[in-house]
């Protein structure tokens, strides 16, 4: 085995890039779940965001416009789920799964003409001096802008949930929707907003894949990232900082798997492709071993239908 | 000047006229009782005053100005606050967070905490703003609700069944607070079905029946009986007295300990009692002191060590619910819909669910439809369940009728031992009396019965022996005759067996 082929700096840099789409999607889902809604359609929203972002940036030539389109696209498709579950009171699990299928199919349809095209390239951070520093430069100051946006979003969501009144109301709705309703809060509207935010974040995560990480459009390119994002939220016990940790951990597993394959270690590649999912299952088992503690952090109304009465 | 004038308020829901031209007035500083059975329209009426429900017609005026709140925020801004029966609290949030959620213009966190401390001290309702509500007792949770109201300087405070979950001592404290508020000019609209409380606390009463105002009176001039008869519009049936001659022990629970599985649940701590044939053991205590966990252990939903539960000399701690039924231990859990009965299934199907093995309602894995239907019909007939027929889904029945059905279903199976939790919760007086009578009749036929309830009056009425569950531990069961409310109150506050024994000596 030749480990010298592994460059630690390049490894960390590729880890960050692999983790960023997960981070976007998981942060969005965190906010959605904090409002008491379980949206299993993350995968569908991501891939839809990926193609929206890709198509618009190819057509317009502007990667930034593509990202905006991805966020809007993700929010719009998530609102289908929102209206179905919040207004028409359909089952959240079934509707979320349907959203995933719908998103995958719709994205494939829209993506037909875009296969094999290269999107406009995305600018990277280039600070004078700082970015040119050896080691520290590539580790901290040479990423694309969206990496920094995702980190800022983590801080922002943490501040929003723990410090702001609006965040408190959101948590209250997720904790006990009947009580929030009787205090006069509009449960349905708040949840729709949280769902749309979750969709926008998932869309950004998807567009990060198609515009920055890969960058190319292939059908089904999210390849289960949405499911990992869902697992990260539980793994993080609904805390933004742990979502960051989880996303980088899972990003790391992905990169490790790719690099081990590249090193030609004689494990069948299928086993390595399994690792992120195996880790997810193991973590979930460990997390839920102590039932009462796991339940303490979960929003108490998660996945429950809110039936507005009197 | 009159504080609140209500004129001709009417609200109809599909199939029911919840409020029919309701009119009355509330004066400043008055403690005004709103009386009525379940379904009389009390909740709808106060929800309209609090802006949660919009009336179809009619007017309200506050301080002489038209008052038509579109949402609770508007009502609060106008000086109307409400303490809910099922608290509008968030367990995973702190006291201060819970309070700020119910305020229109909440001050910053530090200032709010200081004000919570001030107000709670001033009104004798001590509270720590930084504690999680999930860790508080029921009485403390109610304080959170009250302090939340008081911080907004209300002119009218609506209280919906505030004492149904409190110990007698906590009730006294609450009444002192309410009297102090009343003296300061705050009017209180007090909803309760505890008639003795209303007689001691309230200056005026409005009685609702079938959505209409049927009487106004001064509670102090009435008896509890005459008030009850105004509410139900007829004679109150009193249960028959029963002589108690216990036989052999049937159900014994020995040193039952069980950790809770929910975040804010209570661990059971070495619970020990026995129930003899013909005996009714009443287990009192404020909700959340281990009732759910005890019930789960007795039904067999959670397995415990084999020797912790003994039925007629047989260890059944690890035995599952169905096998326990065959052995003669039947149970009726608290929650009618979803626990005691499957909501969307018909009464016949629900009869099959617990009656299958004892009533032999199946053969070779097939449901015997005819015998199941006749079992369901027998329950409906014997327990006067008002329903179009046995094919009606359980969720279509009113609370009282469904409760009669789920209790009747177990009683008719002639259990050796029956455990019921909250048998008359949210049930009107007539149905409650019928349910209690059926439990007493069952004991008279030689069954051992355990009744877990938060309603002390109910327990005093039907129990032969009485014990209190507090903090997951059970007091030593004592003969119910001769126990005073004060003594029970002390036991409920957590001063368990030792205290009661001292008092005895």
């Amino acid at each position: 085995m030749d480990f010298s082929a592994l460059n630690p700096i390049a490894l960390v840099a590729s880890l960050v890039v692999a983790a960023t789409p997960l981070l976007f999607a998981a942060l969005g889902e965190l906010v959605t779940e904090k409002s008491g809604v379980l949206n299993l359609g993350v995968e569908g929203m991501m891939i839809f965001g990926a193609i929206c972002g890709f198509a618009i940036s190819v057509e317009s030539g502007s990667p930034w416009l593509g990202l905006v389109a991805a966020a809007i696209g993700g929010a719009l498709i998530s609102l289908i789920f929102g209206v179905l579950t919040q207004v028409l009171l359909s089952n959240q699990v079934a509707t979320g799964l349907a959203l995933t299928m719908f998103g995958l199919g719709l994205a494939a349809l829209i993506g037909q003409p875009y296969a094999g095209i290269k999107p406009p390239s995305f600018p990277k951070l280039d600070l004078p001096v700082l970015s040119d520093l050896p080691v520290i430069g590539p580790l901290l100051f040479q990423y694309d802008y969206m990496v920094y946006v995702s980190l800022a979003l983590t801080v922002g969501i943490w501040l929003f949930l723990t410090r702001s009144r609006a965040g408190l109301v959101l948590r209250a709705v997720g904790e006990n929707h009947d009580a929030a309703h009787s205090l006069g809060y509009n449960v349905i509207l708040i949840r729709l907003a949280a769902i749309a935010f979750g969709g926008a974040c998932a869309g950004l995560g998807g567009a990060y894949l198609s515009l920055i990480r890969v960058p190319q459009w292939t059908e089904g390119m999210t390849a289960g990232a949405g499911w990992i994002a869902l697992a990260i939220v539980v793994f993080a016990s609904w805390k933004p900082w742990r979502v960051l940790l989880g996303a980088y951990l899972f990003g790391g597993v992905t990169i490790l798997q790719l690099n081990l394959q590249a090193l030609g270690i004689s494990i069948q590649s299928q086993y390595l492709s399994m690792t992120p999912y195996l880790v997810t299952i193991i973590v979930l088992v460990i997390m839920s071993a102590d039932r009462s503690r796991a339940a303490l952090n979960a929003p108490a109304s998660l996945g429950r239908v809110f039936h507005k009465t009197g | 000047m009159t504080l609140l004038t209500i004129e001709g308020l009417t609200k109809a829901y599909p199939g029911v006229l919840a409020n029919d031209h309701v009119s009355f007035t509330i004066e400043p500083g008055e403690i005004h009782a709103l009386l009525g059975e379940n379904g009389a329209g009390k909740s709808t009426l106060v929800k309209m005053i609090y802006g949660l429900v919009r009336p179809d017609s009619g007017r309200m005026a506050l301080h002489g100005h038209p008052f038509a709140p579109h949402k609770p925020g508007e009502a609060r801004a106008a000086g109307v606050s409400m303490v809910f029966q099922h608290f509008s609290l968030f367990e995973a949030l702190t006291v201060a967070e819970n309070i700020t959620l119910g305020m229109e213009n909440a001050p910053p966190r530090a200032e709010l905490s200081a004000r919570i401390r001030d107000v709670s001290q001033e009104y004798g309702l001590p509270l720590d703003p930084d504690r999680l509500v999930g860790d508080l007792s029921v009485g403390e949770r109610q304080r959170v609700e009250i302090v939340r109201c008081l911080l907004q300087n209300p002119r009218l405070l609506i209280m919906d069944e505030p004492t149904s979950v409190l110990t007698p001592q906590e009730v006294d404290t609450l009444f002192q607070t309410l009297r102090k508020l009343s003296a300061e000019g705050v009017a209180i609209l007090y909803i309760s079905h505890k008639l003795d409380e209303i007689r001691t606390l309230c200056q005026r009463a409005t009685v609702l029946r079938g959505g209409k105002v049927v009487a106004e009176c001064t509670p102090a001039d009435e008896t509890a009986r005459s008030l009850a008869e105004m509410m139900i519009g007829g004679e109150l049936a009193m249960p028959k007295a029963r002589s108690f001659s216990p036989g052999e022990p049937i159900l014994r629970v020995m040193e039952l300990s069980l950790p809770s599985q929910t975040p804010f649940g209570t661990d059971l701590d070495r619970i020990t009692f026995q129930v003899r044939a013909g005996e009714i053991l009443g287990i009192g205590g404020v909700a959340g002191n281990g009732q759910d966990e005890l019930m789960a252990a007795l039904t067999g939903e959670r397995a415990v060590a084999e020797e912790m539960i003994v039925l007629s000399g047989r260890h059944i701690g690890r035995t599952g619910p169905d096998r326990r039924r065959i052995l003669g231990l039947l149970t009726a859990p608290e929650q009618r819909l979803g626990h005691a009965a499957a909501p969307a299934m018909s009464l016949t199907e629900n009869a099959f669910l617990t009656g299958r093995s004892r009533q032999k309602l199946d053969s070779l894995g097939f449901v015997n439809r005819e015998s199941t239907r006749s079992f369901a019909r027998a329950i409906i007939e014997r327990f006067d369940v008002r329903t179009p027929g046995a094919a009606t889904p359980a969720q279509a029945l009113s609370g009282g009728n469904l409760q009669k059905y789920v209790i009747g279903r177990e009683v008719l199976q002639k259990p050796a031992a029956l455990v019921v939790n909250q048998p008359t919760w949210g049930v009107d007086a007539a149905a409650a009396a019928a349910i209690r009578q059926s439990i007493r009749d069952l004991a008279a036929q030689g069954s051992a019965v355990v009744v877990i309830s938060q309603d002390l009056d109910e327990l005093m009425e039907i129990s032969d022996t009485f014990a209190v569950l507090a903090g997951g531990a059970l007091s030593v069961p004592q003969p119910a005759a001769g126990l005073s409310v004060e003594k029970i109150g002390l036991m409920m506050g957590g001063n368990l067996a030792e205290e009661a024994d001292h008092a005895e000596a």
Side-chain angles (χ1 to χ4, degrees):
Chain A
M1 256 181 279
D2 181 15
F3 281 98
S4 62
L6 292 178
N7 173 354
I9 294 173
L11 211 58
V12 170
S14 58
L15 179 157
V16 170
V17 173
T20 300
L22 296 177
L23 181 57
F24 272 116
L27 283 173
E29 181 67 12
L30 170 77
V31 171
T32 307
E33 291 194 11
K34 269 290 181 188
S35 80
V37 178
L38 181 66
N39 185 354
L40 293 180
V42 184
E43 180 82 2
M45 301 185 297
M46 275 184 95
I47 193 104
F48 188 67
I51 189 57
C52 283
F54 193 87
I56 296 297
S57 58
V58 166
E59 301 299 339
S60 70
S62 157
W64 290 108
L65 216 55
L67 287 174
V68 172
I72 293 174
L76 283 180
I77 198 170
S78 74
L79 280 176
I80 299 177
F81 168 88
V83 169
L84 285 172
T85 57
Q86 301 308 304
V87 182
L88 302 174
L89 305 182
S90 71
N91 178 292
Q92 293 182 8
V93 170
T95 313
L97 293 174
L99 183 68
T100 288
M101 317 254 181
F102 177 66
L104 286 168
L106 187 62
L109 181 71
I110 299 174
Q112 290 278 354
Y114 293 99
I117 298 178
K118 237 185 145 28
S121 70
F122 199 83
K124 289 193 171 187
L125 187 68
D126 187 13
L127 297 173
V129 187
L130 281 179
S131 297
D132 302 327
L133 287 174
V135 185
I136 296 177
L139 274 183
L140 294 179
F141 302 109
Q142 281 185 14
Y143 298 107
D144 55 87
Y145 287 109
M146 290 311 283
V147 167
Y148 304 102
V149 170
S150 72
L151 295 174
L153 191 65
T154 311
V155 179
I157 287 175
W158 173 68
L159 285 174
F160 170 78
L161 287 176
T162 56
R163 297 284 188 274
S164 77
R165 182 174 170 87
L168 178 62
V169 172
L170 182 90
R171 284 190 286 143
V173 167
E175 182 63 26
N176 182 345
H177 48 220
D178 294 318
H181 170 68
S182 60
L183 287 176
Y185 294 105
N186 192 331
V187 174
I188 293 172
L189 210 63
I190 291 167
R191 287 192 167 161
L192 284 175
I195 290 167
F197 180 81
C201 288
L204 281 180
Y208 188 91
L209 280 175
S210 65
L211 290 177
I212 301 169
R213 181 164 177 225
V214 176
Q216 201 181 349
W217 166 255
T218 45
E219 205 178 306
M221 67 180 302
T222 45
W227 299 109
I228 295 184
L230 274 166
I232 288 173
V233 176
V234 182
F235 165 83
S237 48
W238 293 270
K239 295 193 165 117
W241 289 112
R242 292 199 204 162
V243 166
L244 180 70
L245 180 77
Y248 278 68
L249 205 65
F250 284 94
V253 173
T254 314
I255 290 302
L256 197 66
Q257 164 220 330
L258 291 176
N259 280 282
L260 286 179
Q261 280 181 23
L263 282 175
I265 290 176
S266 60
I267 305 174
Q268 288 200 330
S269 66
Q270 283 85 347
Y271 287 109
L272 292 171
S273 319
M274 274 184 225
T275 42
Y277 304 95
L278 275 177
V279 170
T280 304
I281 292 172
I282 292 165
V283 164
L284 290 184
V285 168
I286 295 169
M287 288 285 304
S288 53
D290 185 352
R291 280 179 62 180
S292 63
R293 219 199 54 212
L296 186 62
N297 287 319
S301 294
L302 185 61
R304 280 174 45 209
V305 172
F306 170 63
H307 199 316
K308 188 173 160 184
T309 52
Chain B
M1 184 176 167
T2 302
L3 177 70
L4 180 69
T5 312
I6 291 173
E7 268 183 64
L9 275 195
T10 300
K11 176 75 191 177
Y13 288 113
V16 58
L17 197 54
N19 276 190
D20 184 4
H21 294 90
V22 172
S23 302
F24 66 97
T25 60
I26 299 173
E27 304 299 325
E30 174 184 55
I31 305 184
H32 191 116
L34 191 58
L35 278 172
E37 289 199 290
N38 290 300
K42 294 169 298 184
S43 301
T44 306
L45 180 60
V46 296
K47 280 179 180 168
M48 289 193 286
I49 302 174
Y50 192 56
L52 274 170
V53 172
R54 220 88 64 79
D56 296 337
S57 65
R59 280 175 301 150
M60 290 186 281
L62 195 69
H63 296 298
H65 302 294
F67 175 63
H70 287 151
K71 54 180 191 180
E74 287 178 31
R76 289 196 291 261
V80 177
S81 285
M82 178 157 170
V83 173
F84 293 88
Q85 178 184 9
H86 306 291
F87 303 141
S88 56
L89 295 178
F90 308 92
E91 292 194 332
L93 305 182
T94 66
V95 170
E97 286 174 328
N98 266 283
I99 289 176
T100 184
L101 279 168
M103 294 178 72
E104 287 315 293
N105 301 304
R109 199 173 282 202
E111 190 190 329
L112 181 68
S113 292
R115 280 185 58 196
I116 291 170
R117 284 209 174 82
D118 290 350
V119 170
S120 64
Q121 287 301 326
E122 187 186 341
Y123 288 93
L125 309 162
L127 269 183
D128 177 354
D130 299 322
R131 283 186 67 191
L132 279 186
V133 164
D135 294 330
L136 301 183
S137 74
V138 179
E140 288 172 309
R141 290 180 196 206
Q142 187 179 55
R143 284 184 212 159
V144 179
E145 289 257 350
I146 296 174
V147 168
R148 174 156 74 190
C149 294
L150 295 185
L151 280 173
Q152 306 180 77
N153 302 315
R155 306 315 305 153
L156 172 65
L157 185 62
I158 304 169
M159 305 206 73
D160 191 358
E161 300 272 1
T163 59
S164 56
V165 293
L166 301 183
T167 67
Q169 278 77 7
E170 286 174 325
V171 171
D172 284 345
T173 317
L174 174 68
F175 282 9
Q176 282 170 21
T177 307
L178 294 183
R179 290 203 177 95
K180 183 168 155 71
L181 282 168
S182 156
E184 290 168 4
V186 178
I188 292 156
L189 183 59
Y190 189 90
I191 302 171
S192 179
H193 62 247
K194 298 209 173 168
L195 303 168
D196 288 320
E197 285 178 1
I198 284 175
R199 289 182 56 242
T200 58
L201 182 72
C202 301
Q203 288 127 24
R204 274 207 301 158
T206 298
V207 185
L208 286 181
R209 191 190 328 135
K212 291 191 179 112
V213 174
V214 291
E216 297 225 9
C217 62
T218 307
D221 298 344
E222 304 286 334
T223 63
R225 193 186 176 100
S226 67
L227 286 172
E229 287 174 355
M230 279 183 218
M231 275 161 53
I232 63 173
E235 288 265 321
L236 193 63
M238 285 296 179
K240 287 169 272 176
R242 186 173 73 86
S243 64
F244 162 55
S245 49
E248 291 295 301
I250 303 279
L251 177 67
R252 284 194 294 156
V253 171
M254 298 197 295
E255 300 267 318
L256 168 65
S257 295
L258 183 67
S260 175
Q261 285 184 327
T262 51
F264 298 112
T266 308
D267 302 341
L268 296 183
D269 178 20
R270 287 171 291 143
I271 285 180
T272 300
F273 65 81
Q274 67 165 6
V275 201
R276 292 161 291 185
E279 177 179 359
I280 300 177
L281 168 68
I283 295 182
V286 176
N289 273 287
Q291 284 90 343
D292 295 344
E293 289 80 5
L294 178 59
M295 198 64 198
L298 290 174
T299 57
E301 285 168 48
R302 288 192 62 190
V304 295
E306 192 75 345
E307 65 284 357
M308 282 179 179
I309 303 175
V310 185
L311 182 71
S312 309
R314 192 180 179 129
H315 296 285
I316 58 163
R318 254 191 269 287
T319 308
D322 195 50
R323 184 91 192 115
R324 288 190 193 194
R325 281 193 202 107
I326 297 172
L327 295 172
L329 173 59
L330 301 189
T331 54
E334 170 180 14
Q335 208 190 356
R336 294 186 275 271
L337 279 175
H339 201 174
M345 293 173 90
S346 71
L347 293 180
T348 307
E349 288 164 326
N350 272 295
F352 180 82
L353 288 178
T354 76
R356 180 182 72 87
S357 30
R358 273 183 94 75
Q359 301 300 113
K360 310 229 174 351
L361 300 180
D362 62 343
S363 52
L364 303 170
F366 288 94
V367 177
N368 188 335
R369 297 171 66 89
E370 207 35 63
S371 55
T372 308
R373 210 172 292 136
S374 64
F375 177 49
R377 287 206 192 102
I379 303 167
I380 292 168
E381 201 175 317
R382 277 279 305 280
F383 288 85
D384 188 27
V385 179
R386 314 274 165 81
T387 167
T392 314
Q395 64 195 3
L397 267 64
S398 74
N401 276 311
L402 184 57
Q403 189 69 27
K404 283 195 274 188
Y405 188 81
V406 297
I407 300 272
R409 180 178 64 181
E410 310 307 326
V411 167
L412 271 197
Q413 296 185 50
K414 301 200 174 51
L418 175 69
V419 182
V420 292
N421 190 5
Q422 297 273 52
T424 62
W425 174 256
V427 168
D428 63 48
I435 288 169
R436 285 175 200 147
Q437 189 58 49
S438 72
I439 291 172
R440 295 164 66 105
D441 291 346
L442 181 70
Q445 290 160 23
S447 295
V449 183
V450 178
V451 179
I452 303 173
S453 175
Q454 288 162 54
D455 186 339
L456 278 186
D457 298 335
E458 167 172 285
L459 291 175
M460 289 296 94
E461 185 188 315
I462 62 173
S463 311
D464 303 309
T465 42
F466 179 82
V468 161
L469 196 58
L474 191 75
S475 67
V476 175
Q478 318 186 18
L483 274 180
S484 68
V485 172
E486 285 72 28
K487 203 148 109 188
I488 295 167
L490 285 176
M491 291 158 76
M492 285 168 74
N495 305 321
L496 285 179
E498 308 87 56
E499 300 284 329
D501 285 346
H502 282 304
E504 200 92 304

